[in-house]
């Protein structure tokens, strides 16, 4: 794994946002800023993107407030955790690092919606946008989850539904049934890579953000995000945008389609042997797609 050139914590009001930088954040270099999923996960499972520092592109990872190395607030009320909070945190980090005038954003899953919302305001310093494995709205996500759940082996969805109705989603039986879904549509590698397990366990070590905004599982979204999406604003995105998803992704093509329909300058790559984490499941193909895109938006060269 690539060693960081800097680590730190950006003051964010009375809180702190942990970050790490790989490469040189020189003024003339376009930085790649990586927003993780969840909400409530950590940067760990996306550390492989630090490899793009070898192309002269400094890479910034950070843990969103509430998890990982950033401030934890287990007693914060539900209305504290808002989309606007995380947008403000991203803006604050860009200013703190001095890169607000020259950066590309990569957002995975929830992070994809977050960076799409950020980009829809057409910030002057944004050079490009990558939305990876992200639905365009949570209502659409839930519609597609129902389709995927119906395709699970006999009895699995019935078990999930029974525990969801009873409010016993913390039971071992529910967790075992969720793993059947996750092994199909979240990560198809066996075993899961260490960096992915690290983020997964971090999220459940402090599930405050995830349980509040999402819910008890990927497909039972009953939190504050359940009615939220970005379909009303992504037509305002003005930079070249790359969509990435997996053929077996829980973010199904139907859930991603509005981005392709509404963003003016967009390209979509579906990785055929991946689910929700193509950067781990098909790393070579993922790196090639990303390198081609970055070559275009960072250096102005045409991709091959």
């Amino acid at each position: 794994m690539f060693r960081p050139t800097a680590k730190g914590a950006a003051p964010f009001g009375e809180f702190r946002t942990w970050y790490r930088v790989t490469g040189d954040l020189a003024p003339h270099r376009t930085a790649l800023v990586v927003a993780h999923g969840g909400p409530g996960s950590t940067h760990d499972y996306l550390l492989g993107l630090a490899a793009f520092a070898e192309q002269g592109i400094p890479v910034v990872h950070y843990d969103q407030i509430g998890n990982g190395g950033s401030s934890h607030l287990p007693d914060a009320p539900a209305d504290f955790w808002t989309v606007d909070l995380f947008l403000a945190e991203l803006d604050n980090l860009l200013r703190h690092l001095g890169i607000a005038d020259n950066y590309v954003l990569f957002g995975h899953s929830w992070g994809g919606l977050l960076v799409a919302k950020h980009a829809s305001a057409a910030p002057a310093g944004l050079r490009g946008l990558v939305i990876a494995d992200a639905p365009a709205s949570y209502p659409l996500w839930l519609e597609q989850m129902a389709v995927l759940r119906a395709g699970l082996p006999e009895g699995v969805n019935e078990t999930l539904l029974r525990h969801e109705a009873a409010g016993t989603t913390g039971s071992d039986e529910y967790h075992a049934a969720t793993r059947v879904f996750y092994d199909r549509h979240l990560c198809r590698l066996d075993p899961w890579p260490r960096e992915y397990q690290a983020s997964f366990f971090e999220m459940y070590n402090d599930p405050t953000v995830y349980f509040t905004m999402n819910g008890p599982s990927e497909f039972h979204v009953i939190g504050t995000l359940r009615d939220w999406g970005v379909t009303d604003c992504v037509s305002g995105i003005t930079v070249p945008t790359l969509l990435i998803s997996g053929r077996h992704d829980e973010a199904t093509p139907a859930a991603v389609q509005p981005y392709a329909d509404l963003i003016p300058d967009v390209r979509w790559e579906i990785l055929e042997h991946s689910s929700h984490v193509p950067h781990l499941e098909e790393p070579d193909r993922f790196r090639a797609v990303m390198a081609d895109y970055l070559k275009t938006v960072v250096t102005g060269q045409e991709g091959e």
Side-chain angles (χ1 to χ4, degrees):
M1 195 60 66
F2 292 86
R3 295 177 63 85
T5 51
K7 290 183 179 180
F12 177 47
E14 58 187 295
F15 313 116
R16 300 176 73 80
T17 300
W18 179 93
Y19 65 86
R20 58 166 275 163
V21 178
T22 310
D24 181 12
L25 283 182
H28 64 284
R29 295 186 184 273
T30 303
L32 175 64
V33 180
V34 180
H36 63 69
S41 186
T42 62
H43 76 284
D44 301 84
Y45 75 104
L46 293 165
L47 270 176
L49 275 77
F52 293 107
E54 287 190 327
Q55 298 180 20
I57 302 169
V59 181
V60 176
H61 288 84
Y62 74 104
D63 287 336
Q64 295 161 23
I65 186 174
N67 289 87
S70 296
S71 297
H72 286 236
L73 301 161
D75 299 322
D79 60 5
F80 174 83
W81 303 106
T82 64
V83 173
D84 286 344
L85 172 74
F86 292 101
L87 289 169
E89 179 185 37
L90 176 56
D91 287 340
N92 180 73
L93 179 66
L94 296 172
R95 290 192 300 269
H96 176 80
L97 294 175
I99 56 175
D101 59 351
N102 191 14
Y103 64 102
V104 172
L105 284 177
F106 176 100
H108 179 261
S109 196
W110 138 259
L113 287 95
L114 182 69
V115 300
K117 182 68 173 177
H118 172 95
S120 71
L126 183 64
R127 301 288 177 254
L129 181 70
V130 183
I131 301 171
D133 312 282
S137 77
Y138 282 94
L140 188 54
W141 171 268
L142 284 170
E143 287 178 15
Q144 291 301 300
M145 286 296 169
V147 174
L148 296 178
R149 287 172 61 145
L152 294 173
E154 184 176 356
V156 174
N157 197 34
E158 289 75 13
T159 299
L160 295 170
L161 290 168
R162 174 163 44 84
H163 284 288
E164 288 163 4
T168 52
T169 54
S171 69
D172 290 343
E173 187 179 39
Y174 184 79
H175 287 154
T178 63
R179 187 60 191 253
V180 177
F181 180 97
Y182 289 175
D183 286 344
R184 286 187 172 202
H185 302 297
L186 198 65
C187 181
R188 295 168 72 86
L189 299 176
D190 184 17
W192 284 1
R194 287 178 56 191
E195 60 266 41
Y196 193 50
Q197 293 187 51
S199 284
F200 208 81
F201 291 138
E202 283 264 16
M203 186 165 66
Y204 280 98
N205 282 338
D206 185 352
T208 305
V209 183
Y210 187 72
F211 283 3
T212 300
M213 298 185 75
N214 187 84
S217 68
E218 291 292 280
F219 43 78
H220 190 45
V221 181
I222 55 175
T224 57
L225 289 176
R226 62 186 178 274
D227 298 319
W228 184 69
V230 293
T231 55
D232 63 335
C233 66
V234 293
S235 62
I237 294 173
T238 58
V239 295
T241 300
L242 173 64
L243 303 177
I244 298 176
S245 61
R247 179 62 65 188
H248 309 282
D249 208 323
E250 60 180 2
T252 65
V256 177
Q257 188 66 48
Y259 292 119
D261 292 340
L262 298 170
I263 297 174
D265 183 0
V266 66
R267 163 189 167 193
W268 188 0
E269 293 283 346
I270 298 178
L271 278 69
E272 294 295 332
H273 306 292
S274 295
S275 58
H276 198 52
V277 284
H279 63 285
L280 298 176
E281 295 165 294
E282 292 182 75
D284 292 342
R285 176 64 182 150
F286 173 84
R287 282 193 294 267
V289 169
M290 280 288 294
D292 184 60
Y293 170 77
L294 290 171
K295 182 165 53 176
T296 301
V297 300
V298 174
T299 69
Q301 300 174 14
E302 289 298 325
E304 298 177 1

